[in-house]
Amino acid sequence: MANYIDEFRDKEVIQKIVDNLSNYSGPNLKIMEVCGTHTMAISRYGLRSLLPKSIELVSGPGCPVCVTPTSYIDSALQLSDKKDIIITTFGDMMRIPGNESTLLYKKAIGNNVQMVYSPLNALDLARENPDKEVVFLSVGFETTTPVIALTVYKAKSEGLNNFSVLTANKTMPEAIKTLAEDSELDIDGFIYPGHVSAIIGTDFFSNVAYNMKKAGVVAGFEPLDILYSINILVKNISNGNIILENMYSRIVTKEGNTKAQQKMYEVFQAADAVWRGIGNIKNSGLELNAEYERFDAAKKFDIKIKASPEPKGCQCGEVLKGKKRPIDCKLFKTRCTPENPVGACMVSSEGTCAAYYKYGE
Amino acid sequence: MQNIITLAHGSGGSATLKLIDQVFKKHFNNDILSQGDDCAKLSITNSNNLVFTTDSFVVTPIFFNGGNIGKLAVCGTVNDLSTSGATPLYLSCGFIIEEGFSIEELEKIVEAMSITARECGVQIVTGDTKVVQKGAADKIFINTSGIGIVPDGICISGKNAQVGDKIIISGTIGDHGCSILLERENMGFQAEIKSDCAPLSGLVHDMLEVTSDIHVLRDPTRGGVATTLNEIAFQSNVSIVIEEDKLPIKREVQGVCELLGMDPIYLANEGKLLSFVPAEKVEAVLNVMRKNKYGRDAQIIGEVSKAGEPKVLLKALSGGARIIGLLAGDQLPRIC
């Protein structure tokens, strides 16, 4: 019986694809993997070391923690200082540095910060602690936002008044468009995130191929998923066949998960969003709509934190856009390490710099 | 930001090592401590064979699938003694108990300690009990210290890894870390994942019966196999290469790790050991290990490739390679 792991880690098949790719003799190609989980998988399986020098993989802004601006972290830190507030968050957010400290530090000095595995766990906490306000740090792309939407919807249905979310949710399409239009970046093709595509489908990415002349492939996360996808992408680009291919059809459909999309836009609406290192991108974020506004922690607690400049010398922005590699940043492995991260790309387990550091690339 | 202790300092990774170097070693500095092994080898009277170790146990939950904090407290210290090549003899135990703790549960914990100690042939000969106010401790903390004797002709240390040594793991990795994670977070997985909590004195005894020529033994507890291999690489100043597809990992553990974005190579084990053995002795050692219930799934996972350049390289199943470093703190589950 298929277990959907072993079949995608077959050494012999991997070797065949690697041999095929090593025969590539065309012009240098730059392929961007947009998703943080792809970045980690590429590093974890040592895939860069298997590719010829003429095929370069660059990492995009697809790690939700990495693109969360410092001002958002500062808002969360400020909220955690308030009496009777429990901050709940996905694990990855705990180490990300704001301007002065981290949630891990706030937890250590006694603030009530708790790691959860699902926003629904945060809702449980709110029910169990009626005398406390439970704030969930709502970050992530289309993959995680539907569950957060469901959580807020449930809070409203149950009439819970001690639950709110601090939103920094983002959507992928406008960011991809920004990158595809960036002439400095000069990306030949995109490896699109499988998880996001499972929700939003493949139409948008097809449009990028047809209208912006950027070949693309939707990929899964096993080594063979990624290598197959690179192989297809290289073949298509070489043949001038600029299309989108769905190589993750066991999960991703053209339409995506319409129920999840519906739930997401029942609670959230499109908004401009600041991406760390990239800046403001129109309509690339999500905010709670008028019907759910009372669950917005920033409004509920009147949090107003001005955007702050990136740390001096930090190249996270250029790394997120794929313009620089971590090793091009002077702070990498010197001032900026997983123990003392300067920029967000070093903090998150999905961050490009963390992947390069952890897996010694 | 004030310089304070965070949970990362207790994770066994690079933050822990930094704390040991910058605070404890700075003030406690002596030749025995600076050896950097899990046990101290002592020269008392005419014997150079006495080893001494201590360990504290603060696990949550205190009762878990495969054991409890009491069994863990005996196994942990016995395994540190055993992996220094010693025959464990005597343990002490110190209890810090939160007021309100159930005496019935305490008795279950103590009974587990007694049963495990009997299995290992050690006696718990001294102890101490402190009770603290509600909230000042999380239910119960246990410290055990132990002494043992290293037989003549045995010289096992993290400093002894040599080029050409084969590296054996005694069984599947990450079981304890994974089972504790699932129970602590109450994730509702249906997978049956048990802690591997077990005493290894018998297994080590069997291995040393076959050959005294074992260079390194270490139980990869906090920080897992990856952290322990890094410690040995740096202690011995060697490069280590391991092969991903040789690492024995239970499918359930692999599945949970895939789902949470964690790496089983960094998860804690409480009933496993790593062994560095000369190539010509490895088959004999492997055979005897596989005959012992705690070494049934023993497997060669790699070798010491060269002297100098201390690092741990993992040959991924894809054929690519990556460096396995130390974690800064605990592994955190990923967002998506």
Side-chain angles (χ1 to χ4, degrees):
Chain A
M1 199 178 87
N3 66 27
Y4 297 105
I5 292 182
D6 293 347
E7 305 89 316
F8 295 92
R9 296 183 180 183
D10 185 312
K11 272 175 117 165
E12 281 179 26
V13 184
I14 286 172
Q15 196 51 55
K16 277 182 190 161
I17 297 176
V18 168
D19 290 346
N20 189 44
L21 281 166
S22 63
N23 292 329
Y24 173 74
S25 56
N28 287 359
L29 294 179
K30 207 185 256 191
I31 293 169
M32 177 179 273
E33 89 276 357
V34 176
C35 173
T37 311
H38 276 145
T39 303
M40 281 307 275
I42 287 163
S43 295
R44 177 183 164 188
Y45 298 115
L47 300 185
R48 264 190 199 84
S49 66
L50 301 175
L51 296 176
K53 289 220 171 346
S54 51
I55 300 172
E56 187 190 357
L57 296 178
V58 294
S59 306
C63 157
V65 171
C66 304
V67 295
T68 300
T70 314
S71 55
Y72 176 88
I73 302 298
D74 289 339
S75 305
L77 296 173
Q78 192 184 97
L79 268 174
S80 82
D81 288 334
K82 288 183 186 288
K83 200 172 162 286
D84 293 334
I85 281 193
I86 302 173
I87 297 288
T88 53
T89 175
F90 291 129
D92 257 9
M93 297 289 287
M94 297 285 277
R95 271 201 291 259
I96 190 167
N99 268 315
E100 282 175 26
S101 70
T102 64
L103 287 162
L104 212 54
Y105 177 84
K106 291 290 186 184
K107 184 175 184 290
I109 61 169
N111 292 13
N112 199 338
V113 179
Q114 300 191 28
M115 193 173 77
V116 293
Y117 290 84
S118 158
L120 292 163
N121 298 149
L123 211 55
D124 293 338
L125 264 177
R127 290 188 201 103
E128 291 158 14
N129 296 276
D131 55 335
K132 299 234 178 348
E133 171 80 14
V134 174
V135 178
F136 177 71
L137 302 188
S138 175
V139 294
F141 293 113
E142 291 93 334
T143 325
T144 39
T145 306
V147 184
I148 298 168
L150 178 71
T151 307
V152 176
Y153 170 84
K154 271 177 166 269
K156 184 169 182 274
S157 310
E158 290 177 32
L160 274 179
N161 293 319
N162 66 326
F163 176 79
S164 52
V165 294
L166 189 66
T167 61
N169 299 74
K170 296 194 167 48
T171 51
M172 202 46 97
E174 292 305 316
I176 300 281
K177 221 160 95 181
T178 304
L179 289 167
E181 286 168 346
D182 189 331
S183 57
E184 266 183 69
L185 200 56
D186 199 20
I187 294 289
D188 296 293
F190 287 103
I191 298 173
Y192 291 121
H195 295 146
V196 167
S197 307
I199 304 296
I200 68 172
T202 57
D203 282 351
F204 175 81
F205 302 130
S206 294
N207 290 339
V208 173
Y210 293 121
N211 301 330
M212 303 175 85
K213 301 291 171 253
K214 296 288 178 190
V217 58
V218 173
F221 300 93
E222 293 299 323
L224 267 177
D225 279 319
I226 297 168
L227 285 169
Y228 265 135
S229 300
I230 293 168
N231 200 35
I232 288 285
L233 210 44
V234 169
K235 199 171 87 183
N236 284 344
I237 295 166
S238 301
N239 297 337
N241 190 22
I242 306 303
I243 58 169
L244 175 86
E245 298 242 25
N246 179 5
M247 298 298 291
Y248 199 31
S249 56
R250 64 185 188 273
I251 301 286
V252 175
T253 61
K254 186 175 176 295
E255 302 74 26
N257 183 335
T258 48
K259 272 190 183 162
Q261 291 172 42
Q262 193 189 338
K263 186 54 74 183
M264 191 158 73
Y265 286 106
E266 190 181 325
V267 173
F268 286 97
Q269 63 190 19
D272 296 354
V274 175
W275 294 56
R276 189 177 183 135
I278 297 176
N280 189 61
I281 302 179
K282 222 171 159 40
N283 286 327
S284 68
L286 292 165
E287 62 184 11
L288 293 171
N289 64 29
E291 201 183 329
Y292 291 90
E293 210 174 11
R294 67 186 176 91
F295 295 97
D296 185 333
K299 287 181 177 146
K300 200 170 182 177
F301 296 97
D302 196 28
I303 296 285
K304 287 191 182 75
I305 291 208
K306 283 199 182 84
S308 50
E310 298 299 328
K312 206 166 181 268
C314 175
Q315 299 289 325
C316 271
E318 298 298 285
V319 170
L320 288 168
K321 283 185 265 190
K323 290 184 180 180
K324 286 192 173 168
R325 294 169 304 167
I327 48 178
D328 301 326
C329 174
K330 285 195 177 109
L331 305 187
F332 180 67
K333 280 192 178 180
T334 52
R335 264 189 57 215
C336 186
T337 63
E339 295 93 329
N340 294 299
V342 176
C345 298
M346 186 61 91
V347 180
S348 164
S349 66
E350 293 181 14
T352 307
C353 298
Y356 270 67
Y357 189 101
K358 182 177 172 187
Y359 296 125
E361 294 199 71
Chain B
M1 248 194 319
Q2 268 182 295
N3 202 7
I4 57 169
I5 292 289
T6 68
L7 289 174
H9 290 109
S11 68
S14 56
T16 308
L17 296 178
K18 206 175 269 184
L19 185 73
I20 291 168
D21 277 340
Q22 292 178 352
V23 177
F24 300 122
K25 280 189 176 172
K26 185 171 96 180
H27 293 284
F28 296 156
N29 187 30
N30 61 63
D31 290 346
I32 300 171
L33 183 69
S34 66
Q35 299 298 308
D37 280 323
D38 283 348
C39 283
K41 291 189 174 67
L42 307 178
S43 302
I44 299 173
T45 64
N46 295 327
S47 165
N48 288 328
N49 295 1
L50 189 69
V51 291
F52 175 47
T53 189
T54 187
D55 210 337
S56 298
F57 300 87
V58 295
V59 66
T60 304
I62 53 174
F63 293 92
F64 48 83
N65 188 0
N68 64 44
I69 191 170
K71 181 183 180 185
L72 195 62
V74 173
C75 290
T77 293
V78 161
N79 292 348
D80 280 348
L81 291 169
S82 302
T83 50
S84 71
T87 303
L89 295 173
Y90 301 108
L91 299 188
S92 72
C93 63
F95 292 92
I96 294 170
I97 309 171
E98 184 186 18
E99 94 181 301
F101 189 67
S102 146
I103 291 183
E104 192 185 336
E105 289 195 342
L106 176 63
E107 192 153 1
K108 276 186 193 158
I109 289 165
V110 172
E111 189 185 12
M113 293 176 79
S114 158
I115 291 167
T116 311
R118 260 201 308 280
E119 183 183 348
C120 306
V122 297
Q123 289 179 285
I124 298 171
V125 292
T126 183
D128 174 61
T129 306
K130 294 284 185 292
V131 177
V132 296
Q133 284 185 9
K134 190 92 185 149
D138 185 8
K139 298 186 185 76
I140 183 167
F141 299 149
I142 303 176
N143 170 276
T144 49
S145 299
I147 55 173
I149 298 286
V150 180
D152 287 334
I154 304 287
C155 180
I156 290 170
S157 166
K159 294 201 304 288
N160 292 352
Q162 291 173 25
V163 174
D165 279 356
K166 298 291 179 188
I167 302 164
I168 303 172
I169 183 78
S170 62
T172 53
I173 63 170
D175 299 4
H176 177 77
C178 192
S179 92
I180 293 293
L181 177 75
L182 292 188
E183 295 208 38
R184 189 184 293 159
E185 305 298 341
N186 196 14
M187 284 190 209
F189 279 90
Q190 287 179 334
E192 170 69 14
I193 298 171
K194 264 175 86 166
S195 164
D196 58 353
C197 181
L200 300 173
S201 44
L203 178 64
V204 173
H205 174 268
D206 293 352
M207 292 163 72
L208 290 172
E209 287 273 278
V210 170
T211 177
S212 58
D213 195 13
I214 292 175
H215 296 160
V216 184
L217 286 173
R218 194 61 76 77
D219 55 335
T221 52
R222 259 186 328 180
V225 167
T227 304
T228 301
L229 288 175
N230 268 284
E231 285 169 5
I232 295 164
F234 279 88
Q235 265 186 284
S236 295
N237 192 27
V238 293
S239 288
I240 288 169
V241 177
I242 54 171
E243 297 185 44
E244 188 167 32
D245 57 359
K246 297 279 194 299
L247 288 167
I249 304 169
K250 285 197 172 92
R251 294 198 77 85
E252 298 86 343
V253 171
Q254 184 77 52
V256 169
C257 286
E258 296 288 342
L259 208 64
L260 297 176
M262 290 184 165
D263 198 336
I265 203 167
Y266 287 100
L267 286 177
N269 310 275
E270 290 293 347
K272 297 296 179 329
L273 58 80
L274 283 160
S275 170
F276 286 54
V277 182
E280 64 274 13
K281 302 278 170 51
V282 75
E283 282 307 321
V285 172
L286 201 55
N287 287 338
V288 79
M289 286 176 82
R290 286 176 175 166
K291 285 179 186 148
N292 184 299
K293 67 176 173 180
Y294 297 130
R296 201 171 293 136
D297 299 320
Q299 177 92 333
I300 299 169
I301 58 169
E303 63 180 8
V304 178
S305 60
K306 60 178 176 184
E309 274 188 78
K311 66 177 180 213
V312 181
L313 196 72
L314 181 134
K315 279 189 185 164
L317 44 89
S318 59
R322 72 184 204 233
I323 286 178
I324 298 285
L326 288 170
L327 284 184
D330 286 314
Q331 290 191 90
L332 296 171
R334 66 176 178 221
I335 278 184
C336 65

